[in-house]
Protein backbone atom coordinates (compact mmCIF):
# COMPACT_ATOMS: atom_id res chain seq x y z
CA UNK A 1 0.00 0.00 0.00
CA UNK A 2 1.35 3.41 -0.85
CA UNK A 3 1.98 5.97 1.97
CA UNK A 4 -0.22 9.08 2.27
CA UNK A 5 0.89 11.65 -0.21
CA UNK A 6 0.99 15.09 1.34
CA UNK A 7 1.06 16.85 -1.98
CA UNK A 8 -2.02 15.00 -3.06
CA UNK A 9 -4.74 17.53 -3.81
CA UNK A 10 -8.28 16.23 -3.36
CA UNK A 11 -9.60 18.53 -6.03
CA UNK A 12 -7.39 16.65 -8.41
CA UNK A 13 -9.08 13.35 -7.61
CA UNK A 14 -11.77 13.08 -10.23
CA UNK A 15 -13.95 10.65 -8.24
CA UNK A 16 -14.15 12.96 -5.24
CA UNK A 17 -15.23 16.12 -6.97
CA UNK A 18 -18.47 17.37 -5.34
CA UNK A 19 -20.31 17.35 -8.71
CA UNK A 20 -19.21 13.75 -9.23
CA UNK A 21 -20.40 12.68 -5.81
CA UNK A 22 -23.72 14.45 -6.43
CA UNK A 23 -24.03 12.72 -9.78
CA UNK A 24 -23.36 9.34 -8.17
CA UNK A 25 -25.91 10.07 -5.48
CA UNK A 26 -28.53 11.26 -7.95
CA UNK A 27 -27.99 8.27 -10.20
CA UNK A 28 -28.49 5.98 -7.25
CA UNK A 29 -31.66 7.82 -6.22
CA UNK A 30 -32.96 7.68 -9.79
CA UNK A 31 -32.22 3.97 -10.05
CA UNK A 32 -34.08 3.25 -6.79
CA UNK A 33 -37.04 5.31 -7.89
CA UNK A 34 -37.09 3.50 -11.23
CA UNK A 35 -36.99 0.04 -9.67
CA UNK A 36 -40.50 -1.32 -10.19
CA UNK A 37 -40.20 -4.35 -7.97
CA UNK A 38 -38.01 -5.84 -5.27
CA UNK A 39 -35.87 -7.74 -7.79
CA UNK A 40 -35.07 -4.58 -9.72
CA UNK A 41 -34.35 -2.80 -6.47
CA UNK A 42 -31.93 -5.56 -5.43
CA UNK A 43 -30.02 -5.00 -8.66
CA UNK A 44 -29.96 -1.25 -8.15
CA UNK A 45 -28.78 -1.76 -4.58
CA UNK A 46 -25.78 -3.82 -5.71
CA UNK A 47 -24.99 -1.33 -8.48
CA UNK A 48 -25.16 1.76 -6.27
CA UNK A 49 -24.23 0.64 -2.76
CA UNK A 50 -22.23 -2.53 -3.39
CA UNK A 51 -18.46 -2.88 -2.96
CA UNK A 52 -17.76 -1.84 -6.55
CA UNK A 53 -20.38 0.90 -6.75
CA UNK A 54 -19.09 4.40 -7.68
CA UNK A 55 -19.74 5.75 -4.17
CA UNK A 56 -17.91 2.82 -2.54
CA UNK A 57 -14.98 3.33 -4.88
CA UNK A 58 -15.00 7.06 -4.14
CA UNK A 59 -15.03 6.26 -0.43
CA UNK A 60 -11.98 4.13 -0.93
CA UNK A 61 -10.17 7.01 -2.54
CA UNK A 62 -10.48 9.00 0.72
CA UNK A 63 -7.91 6.81 2.41
CA UNK A 64 -5.28 8.04 0.02
CA UNK A 65 -6.00 11.73 0.70
CA UNK A 66 -3.76 13.97 2.83
CA UNK A 67 -5.11 14.23 6.40
CA UNK A 68 -6.36 17.79 5.98
CA UNK A 69 -8.45 16.82 3.00
CA UNK A 70 -9.92 13.65 4.48
CA UNK A 71 -12.55 15.27 6.70
CA UNK A 72 -14.22 17.29 3.94
CA UNK A 73 -14.12 14.44 1.47
CA UNK A 74 -15.36 12.00 4.13
CA UNK A 75 -18.27 14.27 4.93
CA UNK A 76 -19.16 14.70 1.29
CA UNK A 77 -19.13 11.00 0.50
CA UNK A 78 -20.60 10.02 3.86
CA UNK A 79 -23.58 12.32 3.40
CA UNK A 80 -24.15 11.08 -0.10
CA UNK A 81 -24.01 7.48 1.05
CA UNK A 82 -26.36 8.29 3.93
CA UNK A 83 -28.90 9.81 1.57
CA UNK A 84 -28.56 6.87 -0.77
CA UNK A 85 -29.01 4.24 1.90
CA UNK A 86 -32.00 6.08 3.36
CA UNK A 87 -33.59 6.29 -0.08
CA UNK A 88 -32.89 2.60 -0.56
CA UNK A 89 -34.59 1.72 2.74
CA UNK A 90 -37.58 3.90 1.90
CA UNK A 91 -38.00 2.38 -1.56
CA UNK A 92 -37.54 -1.10 -0.12
CA UNK A 93 -40.32 -0.49 2.39
CA UNK A 94 -42.56 0.93 -0.34
CA UNK A 95 -42.04 -2.02 -2.66
CA UNK A 96 -42.53 -4.53 0.13
CA UNK A 97 -45.79 -2.87 1.09
CA UNK A 98 -46.92 -2.98 -2.53
CA UNK A 99 -46.01 -6.65 -2.80
CA UNK A 100 -47.81 -7.50 0.42
CA UNK A 101 -50.93 -5.69 -0.71
CA UNK A 102 -50.84 -7.50 -4.06
CA UNK A 103 -50.28 -10.90 -2.51
CA UNK A 104 -53.20 -10.32 -0.18
CA UNK A 105 -55.46 -9.78 -3.17
CA UNK A 106 -53.97 -12.35 -5.55
CA UNK A 107 -53.55 -15.13 -3.08
CA UNK A 108 -56.66 -14.50 -1.08
CA UNK A 109 -58.32 -17.69 0.08
CA UNK A 110 -62.07 -17.80 0.41
CA UNK A 111 -62.41 -19.82 3.55
CA UNK A 112 -66.12 -20.21 2.94
CA UNK A 113 -65.52 -22.37 -0.20
CA UNK A 114 -66.24 -26.08 0.19
CA UNK A 115 -63.04 -27.78 1.25
CA UNK A 116 -63.84 -31.03 -0.54
CA UNK A 117 -62.78 -30.56 -4.16
CA UNK A 118 -63.04 -34.26 -5.10
CA UNK A 119 -65.72 -34.10 -7.81
CA UNK A 120 -68.77 -36.02 -6.81
CA UNK A 121 -70.09 -38.49 -9.37
CA UNK A 122 -73.75 -39.06 -9.96
CA UNK A 123 -75.96 -42.10 -9.91
CA UNK A 124 -76.53 -43.47 -13.39
CA UNK A 125 -79.80 -42.22 -14.88
CA UNK A 126 -80.69 -45.80 -15.84
CA UNK A 127 -80.61 -46.70 -12.17
CA UNK A 128 -82.62 -43.72 -11.05
CA UNK A 129 -85.18 -44.18 -13.83
CA UNK A 130 -85.55 -47.86 -12.99
CA UNK A 131 -86.08 -47.03 -9.34
CA UNK A 132 -88.55 -44.34 -10.26
CA UNK A 133 -90.63 -46.75 -12.35
CA UNK A 134 -90.44 -49.43 -9.66
CA UNK A 135 -91.57 -46.85 -7.08
CA UNK A 136 -94.74 -46.20 -9.08
CA UNK A 137 -95.67 -49.85 -8.56
CA UNK A 138 -94.42 -50.10 -5.01
CA UNK A 139 -96.80 -47.24 -4.18
CA UNK A 140 -99.61 -49.42 -5.60
CA UNK A 141 -98.66 -52.29 -3.32
CA UNK A 142 -96.38 -54.26 -5.66
CA UNK A 143 -93.24 -55.90 -4.34
CA UNK A 144 -89.85 -55.79 -6.05
CA UNK A 145 -88.72 -59.25 -7.20
CA UNK A 146 -85.39 -60.17 -8.69
CA UNK A 147 -83.89 -63.16 -10.45
CA UNK A 148 -80.45 -64.24 -11.61
CA UNK A 149 -78.85 -62.85 -14.75
CA UNK A 150 -77.26 -66.22 -15.49
CA UNK A 151 -80.46 -68.15 -15.93
CA UNK A 152 -81.59 -71.68 -16.67
CA UNK A 153 -82.81 -72.02 -20.22
CA UNK A 154 -85.92 -73.58 -18.74
CA UNK A 155 -86.91 -70.36 -16.92
CA UNK A 156 -85.89 -68.09 -19.76
CA UNK A 157 -87.74 -70.07 -22.46
CA UNK A 158 -89.49 -73.37 -21.58
CA UNK A 159 -91.52 -72.18 -18.61
CA UNK A 160 -92.59 -69.24 -20.75
CA UNK A 161 -93.99 -71.46 -23.49
CA UNK A 162 -91.26 -70.87 -26.08
CA UNK A 163 -91.40 -73.92 -28.37
CA UNK A 164 -88.12 -75.85 -28.65
CA UNK A 165 -87.28 -74.46 -32.08
CA UNK A 166 -88.30 -70.86 -31.36
CA UNK A 167 -85.84 -68.58 -33.18
CA UNK A 168 -85.10 -66.59 -30.00
CA UNK A 169 -83.39 -69.68 -28.60
CA UNK A 170 -80.77 -69.64 -31.30
CA UNK A 171 -77.21 -68.69 -30.60
CA UNK A 172 -77.34 -65.63 -32.81
CA UNK A 173 -79.82 -64.04 -30.36
CA UNK A 174 -78.94 -65.60 -27.03
CA UNK A 175 -75.70 -65.85 -25.09
CA UNK A 176 -75.31 -69.45 -23.95
CA UNK A 177 -73.05 -70.05 -20.98
CA UNK A 178 -70.56 -72.80 -21.58
CA UNK A 179 -70.99 -75.66 -19.13
CA UNK A 180 -69.30 -78.94 -18.30
CA UNK A 181 -70.70 -82.40 -19.11
CA UNK A 182 -70.84 -85.04 -16.35
CA UNK A 183 -67.74 -86.50 -18.03
CA UNK A 184 -65.93 -83.24 -17.45
CA UNK A 185 -65.70 -81.93 -21.00
CA UNK A 186 -66.88 -78.47 -21.96
CA UNK A 187 -70.33 -78.29 -23.50
CA UNK A 188 -70.67 -76.48 -26.75
CA UNK A 189 -72.94 -73.44 -26.71
CA UNK A 190 -76.60 -74.29 -26.62
CA UNK A 191 -76.12 -77.71 -25.01
CA UNK A 192 -75.41 -76.18 -21.63
CA UNK A 193 -78.98 -75.30 -20.68
CA UNK A 194 -77.68 -72.08 -19.11
CA UNK A 195 -78.11 -68.67 -20.72
CA UNK A 196 -77.67 -65.00 -19.90
CA UNK A 197 -81.33 -64.10 -19.54
CA UNK A 198 -82.67 -62.41 -22.65
CA UNK A 199 -85.51 -60.68 -20.80
CA UNK A 200 -86.83 -60.21 -17.26
CA UNK A 201 -89.80 -62.51 -17.94
CA UNK A 202 -88.13 -65.56 -16.30
CA UNK A 203 -88.66 -63.68 -13.02
CA UNK A 204 -92.40 -64.19 -13.68
CA UNK A 205 -91.92 -67.96 -13.63
CA UNK A 206 -89.62 -67.86 -10.60
CA UNK A 207 -92.08 -65.72 -8.67
CA UNK A 208 -95.06 -67.92 -9.49
CA UNK A 209 -93.16 -71.02 -8.38
CA UNK A 210 -92.03 -69.29 -5.17
CA UNK A 211 -95.23 -67.62 -4.05
CA UNK A 212 -98.94 -68.30 -3.75
CA UNK A 213 -101.25 -65.88 -5.56
CA UNK A 214 -102.23 -63.16 -5.23
CA UNK A 215 -98.91 -62.07 -6.70
CA UNK A 216 -98.09 -58.46 -7.55
CA UNK A 217 -94.43 -57.95 -8.42
CA UNK A 218 -92.26 -55.51 -10.33
CA UNK A 219 -88.95 -56.90 -11.58
CA UNK A 220 -86.21 -54.50 -12.71
CA UNK A 221 -83.06 -56.03 -14.06
CA UNK A 222 -80.26 -56.40 -16.53
CA UNK A 223 -80.72 -58.56 -19.63
CA UNK A 224 -78.50 -59.70 -22.51
CA UNK A 225 -78.85 -60.23 -26.23
CA UNK A 226 -76.21 -60.83 -28.88
CA UNK A 227 -76.54 -57.38 -30.44
CA UNK A 228 -73.60 -55.25 -31.50
CA UNK A 229 -73.18 -52.01 -29.56
CA UNK A 230 -74.34 -49.10 -31.70
CA UNK A 231 -76.46 -45.95 -31.36
CA UNK A 232 -79.68 -47.92 -30.85
CA UNK A 233 -78.54 -51.35 -29.60
CA UNK A 234 -76.53 -52.63 -26.71
CA UNK A 235 -75.84 -56.27 -25.83
CA UNK A 236 -76.53 -55.48 -22.17
CA UNK A 237 -79.62 -53.52 -21.31
CA UNK A 238 -82.30 -53.15 -18.64
CA UNK A 239 -85.94 -54.07 -18.49
CA UNK A 240 -88.76 -53.64 -16.06
CA UNK A 241 -91.25 -56.46 -15.87
CA UNK A 242 -94.61 -56.39 -14.17
CA UNK A 243 -96.62 -59.41 -13.12
CA UNK A 244 -100.00 -59.50 -11.43
CA UNK A 245 -101.78 -62.81 -10.79
CA UNK A 246 -105.01 -62.83 -8.83
CA UNK A 247 -108.61 -63.92 -9.06
CA UNK A 248 -110.58 -62.16 -11.75
CA UNK A 249 -107.89 -60.01 -13.35
CA UNK A 250 -108.75 -58.91 -16.88
CA UNK A 251 -107.25 -56.94 -19.74
CA UNK A 252 -109.04 -53.88 -18.31
CA UNK A 253 -106.84 -54.13 -15.19
CA UNK A 254 -103.78 -54.31 -17.43
CA UNK A 255 -104.88 -51.24 -19.37
CA UNK A 256 -105.68 -49.28 -16.21
CA UNK A 257 -102.30 -50.19 -14.70
CA UNK A 258 -100.43 -49.10 -17.84
CA UNK A 259 -102.33 -45.81 -17.94
CA UNK A 260 -101.52 -45.16 -14.30
CA UNK A 261 -97.84 -45.85 -14.90
CA UNK A 262 -97.48 -43.43 -17.81
CA UNK A 263 -99.48 -40.79 -15.95
CA UNK A 264 -97.23 -41.13 -12.92
CA UNK A 265 -94.12 -40.88 -15.07
CA UNK A 266 -95.11 -38.45 -17.81
CA UNK A 267 -98.11 -36.42 -16.63
CA UNK A 268 -101.79 -36.68 -15.77
CA UNK A 269 -103.06 -36.39 -19.36
CA UNK A 270 -101.08 -39.41 -20.56
CA UNK A 271 -102.63 -42.58 -21.90
CA UNK A 272 -101.68 -45.83 -23.57
CA UNK A 273 -103.01 -47.87 -26.45
CA UNK A 274 -102.65 -51.58 -27.17
CA UNK A 275 -101.96 -53.17 -30.56
CA UNK A 276 -102.32 -56.93 -31.10
CA UNK A 277 -99.04 -58.81 -31.06
CA UNK A 278 -97.67 -62.22 -30.11
CA UNK A 279 -95.58 -63.44 -27.17
CA UNK A 280 -95.50 -67.13 -26.26
CA UNK A 281 -96.08 -66.37 -22.57
CA UNK A 282 -99.07 -64.03 -22.89
CA UNK A 283 -102.41 -64.62 -24.57
CA UNK A 284 -103.78 -62.36 -25.83
CA UNK A 285 -100.63 -60.29 -26.31
CA UNK A 286 -100.23 -56.68 -27.23
CA UNK A 287 -97.66 -54.09 -28.07
CA UNK A 288 -98.17 -51.08 -25.82
CA UNK A 289 -97.75 -47.52 -26.97
CA UNK A 290 -97.95 -44.36 -24.92
CA UNK A 291 -99.16 -41.01 -26.15
CA UNK A 292 -96.16 -38.98 -27.32
CA UNK A 293 -95.23 -36.99 -24.24
CA UNK A 294 -93.84 -34.14 -26.33
CA UNK A 295 -96.65 -33.36 -28.82
CA UNK A 296 -99.39 -35.19 -26.91
CA UNK A 297 -100.59 -36.51 -30.29
CA UNK A 298 -101.04 -33.05 -31.75
CA UNK A 299 -98.51 -33.55 -34.53
CA UNK A 300 -100.68 -36.20 -36.19
CA UNK A 301 -102.03 -34.84 -39.50
CA UNK A 302 -100.61 -31.44 -38.59
CA UNK A 303 -97.68 -30.69 -40.92
CA UNK A 304 -97.17 -27.29 -39.28
CA UNK A 305 -96.27 -28.99 -36.01
CA UNK A 306 -94.02 -31.93 -36.82
CA UNK A 307 -92.75 -33.88 -33.81
CA UNK A 308 -89.26 -35.38 -33.85
CA UNK A 309 -89.85 -37.49 -30.76
CA UNK A 310 -92.65 -39.62 -32.23
CA UNK A 311 -91.99 -38.92 -35.93
CA UNK A 312 -95.45 -37.26 -35.96
CA UNK A 313 -97.04 -40.64 -35.20
CA UNK A 314 -98.52 -39.32 -31.95
CA UNK A 315 -97.54 -42.52 -30.13
CA UNK A 316 -94.32 -43.99 -28.79
CA UNK A 317 -93.84 -47.74 -28.59
CA UNK A 318 -92.96 -48.76 -25.05
CA UNK A 319 -92.95 -52.56 -24.77
CA UNK A 320 -94.93 -55.78 -24.73
CA UNK A 321 -97.80 -56.96 -22.55
CA UNK A 322 -100.71 -59.32 -22.31
CA UNK A 323 -102.65 -61.74 -20.15
CA UNK A 324 -100.44 -64.44 -18.65
CA UNK A 325 -100.77 -67.52 -20.85
CA UNK A 326 -102.56 -70.31 -18.90
CA UNK A 327 -99.75 -72.62 -20.06
CA UNK A 328 -97.29 -70.51 -18.03
CA UNK A 329 -99.59 -70.67 -14.99
CA UNK A 330 -99.76 -74.46 -15.31
CA UNK A 331 -95.98 -74.80 -15.78
CA UNK A 332 -95.54 -72.84 -12.53
CA UNK A 333 -98.20 -74.75 -10.56
CA UNK A 334 -100.90 -72.07 -10.58
CA UNK A 335 -104.51 -73.10 -11.27
CA UNK A 336 -105.64 -71.22 -14.41
CA UNK A 337 -109.29 -71.96 -13.58
CA UNK A 338 -108.99 -69.94 -10.41
CA UNK A 339 -106.39 -67.33 -11.29
CA UNK A 340 -105.62 -65.06 -14.17
CA UNK A 341 -102.94 -62.48 -14.57
CA UNK A 342 -101.35 -59.84 -16.69
CA UNK A 343 -97.77 -58.98 -17.42
CA UNK A 344 -95.79 -56.36 -19.23
CA UNK A 345 -92.19 -55.55 -19.87
CA UNK A 346 -90.22 -52.76 -21.47
CA UNK A 347 -86.69 -51.48 -21.96
CA UNK A 348 -85.34 -48.75 -19.70
CA UNK A 349 -82.69 -47.57 -22.18
CA UNK A 350 -85.35 -46.77 -24.74
CA UNK A 351 -87.41 -44.90 -22.16
CA UNK A 352 -84.33 -42.94 -21.06
CA UNK A 353 -83.65 -42.09 -24.71
CA UNK A 354 -86.98 -40.54 -25.44
CA UNK A 355 -87.63 -39.16 -21.94
CA UNK A 356 -84.31 -37.28 -21.91
CA UNK A 357 -83.45 -36.92 -25.61
CA UNK A 358 -80.41 -39.18 -25.38
CA UNK A 359 -79.51 -39.84 -28.98
CA UNK A 360 -76.83 -42.50 -28.66
CA UNK A 361 -77.11 -45.58 -26.43
CA UNK A 362 -73.34 -45.82 -26.27
CA UNK A 363 -73.34 -42.73 -24.03
CA UNK A 364 -75.19 -44.80 -21.43
CA UNK A 365 -72.60 -47.55 -21.23
CA UNK A 366 -69.31 -45.68 -21.50
CA UNK A 367 -69.28 -44.58 -17.88
CA UNK A 368 -68.30 -40.97 -18.60
CA UNK A 369 -69.37 -38.79 -15.67
CA UNK A 370 -69.99 -35.94 -18.12
CA UNK A 371 -73.02 -37.94 -19.27
CA UNK A 372 -74.35 -38.90 -15.83
CA UNK A 373 -73.67 -35.66 -13.97
CA UNK A 374 -76.29 -33.46 -15.69
CA UNK A 375 -78.96 -35.87 -14.46
CA UNK A 376 -78.03 -34.81 -10.94
CA UNK A 377 -78.31 -36.80 -7.77
CA UNK A 378 -81.91 -37.80 -8.24
CA UNK A 379 -82.82 -40.31 -5.55
N1 LIG B 1 -90.29 -60.14 -22.40
C1 LIG B 1 -90.80 -59.41 -23.52
C2 LIG B 1 -89.61 -58.83 -24.30
O1 LIG B 1 -88.51 -58.85 -23.82
C3 LIG B 1 -91.72 -58.28 -23.11
C4 LIG B 1 -92.97 -58.76 -22.46
C5 LIG B 1 -93.04 -58.86 -21.07
C6 LIG B 1 -94.08 -59.09 -23.22
C7 LIG B 1 -94.21 -59.28 -20.47
C8 LIG B 1 -95.24 -59.50 -22.62
C9 LIG B 1 -95.29 -59.56 -21.26
O2 LIG B 1 -89.77 -58.30 -25.39
Amino acid sequence: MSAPNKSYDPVEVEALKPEEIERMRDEALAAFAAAGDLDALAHAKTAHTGGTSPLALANREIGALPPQAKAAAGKLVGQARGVVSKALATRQAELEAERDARVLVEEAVDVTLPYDRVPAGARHPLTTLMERVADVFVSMGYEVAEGPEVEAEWFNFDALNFVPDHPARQMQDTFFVQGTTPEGTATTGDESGVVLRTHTSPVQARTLIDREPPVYVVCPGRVYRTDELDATHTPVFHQIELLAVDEGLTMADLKGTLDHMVQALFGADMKTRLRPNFFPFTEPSAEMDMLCYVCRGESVGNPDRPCRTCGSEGWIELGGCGMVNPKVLIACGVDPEKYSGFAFGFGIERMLMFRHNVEDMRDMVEGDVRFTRPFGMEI
Side-chain angles (χ1 to χ4, degrees), residues 151 153-162 200-213 215 243 245 280-281 324-336 339:
E151 182 59 287
E153 198 179 348
W154 189 83
F155 277 112
N156 196 77
F157 294 126
D158 299 81
L160 299 174
N161 193 37
F162 281 81
T200 40
S201 300
V203 187
Q204 289 188 34
R206 287 184 171 273
T207 309
L208 289 177
I209 285 173
D210 269 7
R211 312 181 188 206
E212 288 300 312
V215 163
L243 172 70
V245 174
F281 41 97
V324 179
N325 193 320
K327 288 184 180 168
V328 174
L329 296 177
I330 291 168
C332 299
V334 176
D335 181 1
Y339 295 107

Side-chain angles (χ1 to χ4, degrees), residues 4 46 80 124 137 170 194 196-197 232 253 269 294 304 340 352:
T46 313
H124 200 284
F137 294 105
Q170 283 165 16
V194 183
L196 296 185
R197 66 179 177 192
T232 52
D253 298 305
D269 57 340
V294 173
D304 301 337
S340 59
L352 185 67

Side-chain angles (χ1 to χ4, degrees), residues 160 162 198-202 204 223 225 237 239-242 279 281-282 285-287 319-323 342-346:
L160 299 174
F162 281 81
T198 58
H199 51 176
T200 40
S201 300
Q204 289 188 34
V223 303
R225 290 184 197 170
F237 58 104
Q239 287 189 331
I240 287 231
E241 187 93 9
L242 201 83
F279 297 102
F281 41 97
T282 46
S285 303
E287 205 65 52
C321 63
M323 299 306 289
F342 61 79
F344 68 82
F346 61 89

Side-chain angles (χ1 to χ4, degrees), residues 137-157:
F137 294 105
V138 168
S139 70
M140 286 195 274
Y142 283 71
E143 285 175 63
V144 175
E146 285 179 318
E149 291 171 24
V150 179
E151 182 59 287
E153 198 179 348
W154 189 83
F155 277 112
N156 196 77
F157 294 126

Side-chain angles (χ1 to χ4, degrees), residues 7-44:
S7 65
Y8 197 91
D9 184 352
V11 242
E12 295 299 313
V13 178
E14 187 64 24
L16 289 176
K17 287 189 175 155
E19 328 70 272
E20 271 304 295
I21 300 296
E22 258 170 51
R23 186 185 57 78
M24 291 170 196
R25 183 197 65 195
D26 292 346
E27 276 180 6
L29 297 184
F32 297 160
D37 56 36
L38 289 166
D39 276 349
L41 187 63
H43 280 114

